[in-house]
Amino acid sequence: MKLEAIEKSKEKQWIAEKYVNNVYETIKQRNLYENEFLQAVKEILDSLLPVLIKHPKYMENGILERITEPERLIIFRVPWVDDTGKVKVNRGFRVQFNSSIGPYKGGLRFHPTVNSSIIKFLGFEQIFKNALTGMPIGGGKGGSDFDPKGKSDGEIMRFCQSFMTELSQYIGPDIDVPAGDIGVGAREIGYLFGQYKRIRGGFPSGVLTGKGLGYGGSLARREATGYGTVYFVEEMLNNNGYTFNGSTVIVSGSGNVSIYAMEKAMQLGANVIACSDSDGYVYDPHGINLATVKRLKEVERKRIKEYIFDHPHAVYVEGCSKIWSIPCDIALPCATQNEINSESAKLLIDNGVKAIGEGANMPSTLEAVELFLNSDILFGPGKAVNAGGVAVSALEMSQNSMRLSWAFDEVDEKLKMIMKNIYQRSISCAEEYGHPGNLVVGANIAGFITVADAMLAHGVI
Ligand code: NDP
C-alpha cells in the first residue's frame, strides 16, 4: 500500500474509534450504574469498528446513538395478594427497544435480580439476535423482580394476572410479542395468555409465544433454544474438524435451555457429565441421567442437589461457579449472565476445552470473552448460539397467522437450517470485515447491518 493510502486508512480508523468512544461515553453518562446494559453495549460497539470504517453512512446518520436508546421503556407496579392474604408489590418492566424490522419480540424474565439494567441489556442483545435469525422481528424484553421460587400455583396465577393486566395495554400480535425466559415457562405463559384473552376478548393467539400445544403453541418450541444451541455448536465443530460424538460436555443450569441442550448433545453421542442450578452443581462421571433432571426440575420443581439421592456415585458441590473447574471438551453455559468470569475462563482453557457455546445470554464477562478469543478455542456468542428459541417463536407466530400447526420434525428441520445459516452468515461476515474466525465480530456485524439498513430506510425516527 502506498504511504498516502496507509495514512488515509489510519485516519478512517481514528475517526471511527473516536466516534465509538464518544457514543459510549454519552451512553455511560446517561445510564449510570446500569452495568449489564453498559457491558452489552460495549461489546457491540467495539465489534462494529470495521463496519463503520467501511461504511461511514452509519456514523453520519446517528445509527449508533439511536440503536442504543430504547424506543420505549415501560415500568409498572404489580400488586398481588399472597396465600396468607398479604398484599405484595413487585415491579414490572417491558423494553421496546427496536422495531425497525418487525414487531418487538423477546421473552419475560421473573427473577429477583431483574431491574432496568438487566432488561435493557437483554432487549439490546435481542435486536441483533432477532435480525440474525432472518425473521421479521424487532427487539424487546421484559419481566419482573418477582421470584417464582417457593410460590404456590395460586400465587403464580395471581401475580401473572396482575402483571398482564398492566402489560396488555402495550402488547399485541402486530406490536409486541413476549415469550418466556428465566422463571417464565409453560405454566406462566398459560396464565399470562389467559388474562390477556380475558381482557382483550376473542382468541388472540399471536400475542405470546411459548404457548401450550393445546392452544396455539408450536411443536419444538420447548426444545428450540437448547437444540438450537447444539445445532449451532455442531456446525462450528464440524467446520473445524470436531464433533459432539465422543466429546465430554458440561452444561450449566438445569432449566429449559440447559435440559434440551443436554438432550440434543446426548443424542449426538456426547457424554454430558455436569449441570447445575443457582445453589450448586452435580458431577456424574457416568453421564448425567436426564430423566432424573427432568423429573426434579420440570415436574417436581426441586433443587439439583437431590440428583444424588437417585445416583449416589455422583457428586454434589455447593456453589455453581466451580462447575467450570471440571475438565471438558465442550462447555455450554446455559444458566445466566456473567456466570463465566476470567478465572473460570482460564480454568477452562488450561483444562483443554475445545469449544464454548453460549446457550444463555451474555454468560461470559468481557474479560472472559477476550481470553477465549485470544486462545485457539472455538467461541460461539450467545446472540448467535441461542437464537433458536426466538426463531421458533417466530415460526409459532407464522403458524398462528396461518391457523395451522407443523409437525415436530418440520419445525426441527427449519430450526436446524436457521442455525446453520446463522453460523455461516456470522463466519462470512467475520471474514469480510477482517476478523476471520471471530464469531463475536461476525454475528454483531451481520445483525447490525440488517437493522441499521432498515433504520436508514425509515429516516430519522
Ligand atoms: P430457566 O428459568 O428455565 O432456567 C435457568 C437455570 O439457570 C436454572 O437452572 C437456574 O437455577 C439457573 N440460574 C438462574 N439464575 C442463576 C444465577 N444467578 N446463578 C446461577 N444459576 C442461575 O431459564 P432458561 O433456561 O429459559 O434461560 C437460561 C438462559 O438462557 C438465560 O440467560 C436466558 O436469558 C437464556 N435464553 C433463554 C431462552 C428461552 O427460550 N428460554 C432463549 C434464549 C436465551 P435455579 O432454578 O436455582 O434458579
Side-chain angles (χ1 to χ4, degrees), residues 109 111 113 122 129 141 149 180-184 221 225 253-258 276-279 297 303 320 334-337 359-361 386 389-390:
R109 176 177 291 193
H111 194 271
T113 55
L122 290 164
K129 178 190 311 195
K141 199 82 189 186
K149 244 178 256 157
D181 190 79
I182 291 178
V184 179
R221 173 61 187 92
T225 312
S254 48
N256 173 264
V257 180
S258 173
S276 60
D277 62 19
S278 56
D279 292 337
K297 289 297 180 178
R303 309 309 298 158
C320 45
C334 293
T336 193
Q337 64 275 355
N361 282 310
N386 70 37
V390 76

Side-chain angles (χ1 to χ4, degrees), residues 223-455:
E223 293 81 359
T225 312
Y227 278 22
T229 293
V230 172
Y231 292 148
F232 183 99
V233 175
E234 180 72 344
E235 185 70 11
M236 177 169 81
L237 293 170
N238 290 169
N239 276 267
N240 290 277
Y242 301 119
T243 170
F244 267 102
N245 194 11
S247 300
T248 302
V249 178
I250 292 178
V251 185
S252 63
S254 48
N256 173 264
V257 180
S258 173
I259 284 175
Y260 293 96
M262 290 196 265
E263 183 165 279
K264 185 50 71 179
M266 288 173 187
Q267 285 171 8
L268 294 182
N271 184 26
V272 180
I273 53 167
C275 67
S276 60
D277 62 19
S278 56
D279 292 337
Y281 71 85
V282 283
Y283 167 55
D284 187 340
H286 297 180
I288 291 286
N289 184 308
L290 199 56
T292 305
V293 177
K294 283 189 178 180
R295 176 176 53 75
L296 286 175
K297 289 297 180 178
E298 292 188 329
V299 183
E300 297 171 359
R301 298 180 190 276
K302 288 193 171 150
R303 309 309 298 158
I304 202 68
K305 73 169 95 161
E306 300 203 14
Y307 180 92
I308 56 171
F309 299 158
D310 288 28
H311 307 280
H313 58 273
V315 181
Y316 173 73
V317 179
E318 199 71 24
C320 45
S321 64
K322 292 284 178 292
I323 193 171
W324 307 117
S325 65
I326 307 168
C328 63
D329 300 313
I330 300 164
L332 304 177
C334 293
T336 193
Q337 64 275 355
N338 292 331
E339 54 170 306
I340 300 186
N341 58 15
S342 51
E343 192 189 327
S344 303
K346 277 183 204 138
L347 277 172
L348 282 162
I349 296 168
D350 291 348
N351 286 333
V353 74
K354 294 188 187 73
I356 315 271
E358 295 188 325
N361 282 310
M362 209 169 74
S364 315
T365 62
L366 287 173
E367 296 75 25
V369 173
E370 196 66 25
L371 286 166
F372 293 140
L373 293 177
N374 289 331
S375 66
D376 54 5
I377 289 168
L378 302 173
F379 178 71
K383 64 176 81 60
V385 173
N386 70 37
V390 76
V392 173
S393 273
L395 297 178
E396 184 175 328
M397 289 162 74
S398 306
Q399 292 169 79
N400 292 154
S401 298
M402 292 188 284
R403 300 199 186 285
L404 51 77
S405 47
W406 294 323
F408 186 98
D409 287 349
E410 195 174 347
V411 181
D412 192 36
E413 245 346 281
K414 289 187 201 305
L415 170 65
K416 225 178 272 177
M417 281 313 299
I418 291 168
M419 299 316 295
K420 269 179 180 241
N421 285 341
I422 294 176
Y423 175 80
Q424 294 303 343
R425 257 182 91 191
S426 304
I427 205 79
S428 60
C429 238
E431 177 89 32
E432 184 184 340
Y433 286 91
H435 292 265
N438 184 332
L439 288 165
V440 175
V441 167
N444 287 346
I445 292 183
F448 172 79
I449 289 176
T450 305
V451 179
D453 285 347
M455 290 174 76

